[in-house]
Amino acid sequence: MSEITVAQALKGLKAGIAKANEIKSPASIAVVDSGRNLLAFARMDGALLASIEISQGKAYTARSLNMKTGDVTEFVQPGAPLYGMETSHRLPLVVFGGGRPISKGGQIVGAVGVAGGMVPDDESVADAVASAIEGG
Amino acid sequence: MSEITVAQALKGLKAGIAKANEIKSPASIAVVDSGRNLLAFARMDGALLASIEISQGKAYTARSLNMKTGDVTEFVQPGAPLYGMETSHRLPLVVFGGGRPISKGGQIVGAVGVAGGMVPDDESVADAVASAIEGG
Amino acid sequence: MSEITVAQALKGLKAGIAKANEIKSPASIAVVDSGRNLLAFARMDGALLASIEISQGKAYTARSLNMKTGDVTEFVQPGAPLYGMETSHRLPLVVFGGGRPISKGGQIVGAVGVAGGMVPDDESVADAVASAIEGG
Amino acid sequence: MSEITVAQALKGLKAGIAKANEIKSPASIAVVDSGRNLLAFARMDGALLASIEISQGKAYTARSLNMKTGDVTEFVQPGAPLYGMETSHRLPLVVFGGGRPISKGGQIVGAVGVAGGMVPDDESVADAVASAIEGG
């Protein structure tokens, strides 16, 4: 399996920070590898402290489920098939947008999670991180 | 960044205890600093044991999100944008009223959490604590 | 209180990675702020997975105690005054070398933790990170 | 990176169960992948309930450190360089024998942990599991 190098992960952080600055949405950004283990992290100046845990939770969740975290939301609502899943792990799953898998050569090699802003802003930063890593 | 001194925090506890006695709502009161670390705490006679954890969770949450905890409630309801967020931290977030940030000179320097009574009572005690510290 | 910016923290990671490459000791590097909250992190290619948790634990411990983690070791031995302290936190303390506080203007503003190599190597990388941040 | 398939992991379990029956040491056997995530697990009839957690902890530890868990023991003794390390992870490290990495093509691809018997018995079962997977 191809893997994300630390150089690629740091390049991803840099791209994410640039995007977050551009849209004025200070964020925490977390990149995990294919095994859900933390590879790189940065909390931007002014980002909420809660973004530390939530960004890592989003990356962990995206790779755990191989889905964007925003796509999980509907399945965990009351009455939906996976209601309550977010508390089923020793590490918490985060079930709203801002996390997404990272692929190389058609294979998922890790994930990124971003928190600190509105969900669409976090998703935009996550896309920038993933693109930088997938292209690198 | 200006910080809450222990003298100010204890003054806050004293104000909170006075308020809680006045409204007959025995409470636990927790004050955290800007890093979400506990600064001062008191559990009043007759307060529920659960108030120990919940008051600290409220203070932790209020500083993590820089919001009143009661303002978080609507966002974590089923179908709302941050549904499930309360389980995203290693320390639990508390998503009902009784926690609020504490500011000095226009900057958030910590938070207070109060638990033990009805939510409006806890909020009233928390306001007394915050006012005493912000004014001190 | 002066604080570590994310730019300084990333500069610290870069200096640490350079040092670790120089001494051929691939490591995980974690920088926390004055409130013990994670600011930046990188796991180098080839670093042990255990270094993820241990580096963060060292940074958390160094700022919790305002000491180098290697200086804690003797106090937690059987019969020593703080025996067992490492299990007294919800987050584990790490009681061997590789973590140290970071100061600016004579005041502790955070900490760094490094893991992945022999203790002296980790300490050497941690010194490089701290110097880059303290100088920046 | 080559990976352990589930067929190989189950073949490993089968070999381990045969060995454990032969030496009359009922055990739990856990196989993790290169990311420390559980791949296959079996608790034999009569194995202690504690073996569930300990076998998984041994596999987690062996891959975290890329070492046999029995080789970690001496380093975490009082006065030894890594004293206290076993409490440094969110998931506990197990620092006595019964866990070992699994390699394919000269590269570590996962680990196995066995618990339930005396340490040498557990190690013997773990060796049987690893051999079956490494040869498969």
Side-chain angles (χ1 to χ4, degrees):
Chain A
M1 184 182 288
S2 58
E3 293 175 61
I4 303 171
T5 63
V6 68
Q8 290 168 334
L10 291 174
K11 188 177 155 195
L13 290 190
K14 199 174 159 189
I17 290 171
K19 184 62 171 179
N21 277 326
E22 176 195 325
I23 63 175
K24 297 186 192 341
S25 180
S28 285
I29 303 172
V31 178
V32 301
D33 66 15
S34 61
R36 304 185 287 188
N37 294 304
L38 191 63
L39 200 44
F41 173 88
R43 172 163 53 100
M44 292 171 64
D45 304 338
L48 287 174
L49 289 174
S51 68
I52 300 171
E53 287 81 8
I54 296 179
S55 62
Q56 293 184 56
K58 285 177 180 174
Y60 178 85
T61 303
R63 173 53 186 149
S64 291
L65 300 172
N66 286 349
M67 293 174 72
K68 293 190 180 193
T69 55
D71 292 343
V72 183
T73 313
E74 64 176 304
F75 295 110
V76 296
Q77 299 300 315
L82 304 180
Y83 175 62
M85 183 183 61
E86 68 275 17
T87 56
S88 66
H89 279 53
R90 205 176 310 191
L91 298 183
L93 301 182
V94 177
V95 293
F96 45 90
R100 52 161 288 177
I102 298 172
S103 296
K104 291 180 94 80
Q107 197 169 19
I108 292 175
V109 293
V112 56
V114 176
M118 296 289 93
V119 160
D121 289 339
D122 288 345
E123 290 177 328
S124 166
V125 174
D127 286 343
V129 174
S131 295
I133 294 176
E134 290 173 344
Chain B
M1 182 182 290
S2 58
E3 293 175 61
I4 303 171
T5 64
V6 69
Q8 291 168 335
L10 291 174
K11 188 176 155 195
L13 289 191
K14 200 174 158 189
I17 289 170
K19 184 62 169 179
N21 277 326
E22 177 195 325
I23 63 176
K24 298 187 191 340
S25 180
S28 285
I29 303 172
V31 178
V32 300
D33 65 15
S34 61
R36 305 186 286 188
N37 294 304
L38 192 63
L39 198 46
F41 172 87
R43 173 163 55 99
M44 293 171 62
D45 303 340
L48 286 173
L49 288 174
S51 67
I52 299 171
E53 286 80 11
I54 297 178
S55 61
Q56 293 185 53
K58 286 178 180 174
Y60 178 86
T61 302
R63 173 52 186 149
S64 291
L65 299 170
N66 288 348
M67 292 175 72
K68 293 190 181 193
T69 55
D71 292 344
V72 183
T73 314
E74 65 175 303
F75 295 110
V76 296
Q77 297 303 310
L82 304 180
Y83 175 60
M85 183 181 62
E86 70 275 17
T87 56
S88 65
H89 278 52
R90 205 176 311 188
L91 298 183
L93 300 183
V94 177
V95 294
F96 47 91
R100 50 160 291 176
I102 299 173
S103 297
K104 292 182 92 81
Q107 198 170 17
I108 293 175
V109 293
V112 56
V114 177
M118 297 287 91
V119 160
D121 290 338
D122 288 346
E123 289 178 328
S124 167
V125 174
D127 287 343
V129 174
S131 296
I133 294 176
E134 290 173 344
Chain C
M1 182 183 290
S2 57
E3 293 176 60
I4 303 171
T5 63
V6 68
Q8 290 168 335
L10 291 174
K11 187 177 155 194
L13 290 190
K14 199 173 159 190
I17 290 171
K19 184 61 169 182
N21 276 326
E22 177 195 324
I23 63 176
K24 297 186 192 342
S25 180
S28 285
I29 303 172
V31 177
V32 300
D33 66 14
S34 61
R36 304 186 286 189
N37 294 304
L38 191 63
L39 199 45
F41 172 88
R43 172 162 54 99
M44 293 172 63
D45 304 338
L48 286 174
L49 289 173
S51 67
I52 299 172
E53 289 80 10
I54 296 178
S55 62
Q56 293 185 55
K58 285 177 180 174
Y60 178 86
T61 303
R63 173 51 186 150
S64 291
L65 300 172
N66 286 348
M67 292 175 72
K68 293 190 180 192
T69 55
D71 291 343
V72 184
T73 313
E74 64 175 303
F75 296 109
V76 296
Q77 298 302 313
L82 304 180
Y83 174 62
M85 183 182 61
E86 69 276 16
T87 56
S88 65
H89 280 52
R90 205 175 308 190
L91 298 183
L93 301 182
V94 177
V95 294
F96 46 89
R100 52 161 289 176
I102 298 172
S103 297
K104 292 182 92 81
Q107 197 169 18
I108 292 175
V109 293
V112 56
V114 176
M118 296 288 94
V119 160
D121 289 339
D122 288 345
E123 290 178 328
S124 165
V125 174
D127 287 343
V129 174
S131 295
I133 293 176
E134 290 173 344
Chain D
M1 182 183 290
S2 57
E3 293 175 63
I4 303 171
T5 64
V6 67
Q8 290 168 335
L10 291 174
K11 186 176 156 195
L13 290 190
K14 199 174 159 189
I17 290 169
K19 185 61 169 180
N21 277 326
E22 175 195 326
I23 64 176
K24 298 187 193 339
S25 179
S28 285
I29 303 172
V31 178
V32 300
D33 66 15
S34 61
R36 303 185 287 188
N37 295 302
L38 192 63
L39 197 47
F41 172 87
R43 174 163 55 99
M44 293 171 64
D45 304 338
L48 286 173
L49 289 174
S51 67
I52 299 171
E53 285 79 12
I54 296 178
S55 62
Q56 294 185 53
K58 285 177 181 175
Y60 178 85
T61 303
R63 172 53 186 148
S64 291
L65 300 171
N66 287 347
M67 292 174 70
K68 293 190 180 192
T69 56
D71 291 343
V72 183
T73 313
E74 64 176 303
F75 295 109
V76 296
Q77 296 303 309
L82 304 180
Y83 174 60
M85 184 181 61
E86 68 276 18
T87 57
S88 66
H89 278 52
R90 205 177 311 188
L91 298 183
L93 299 183
V94 177
V95 294
F96 47 89
R100 53 161 290 178
I102 298 172
S103 297
K104 292 182 91 81
Q107 197 170 17
I108 292 174
V109 293
V112 56
V114 176
M118 296 288 94
V119 161
D121 290 339
D122 289 344
E123 289 178 328
S124 165
V125 175
D127 287 344
V129 174
S131 296
I133 294 175
E134 290 173 343

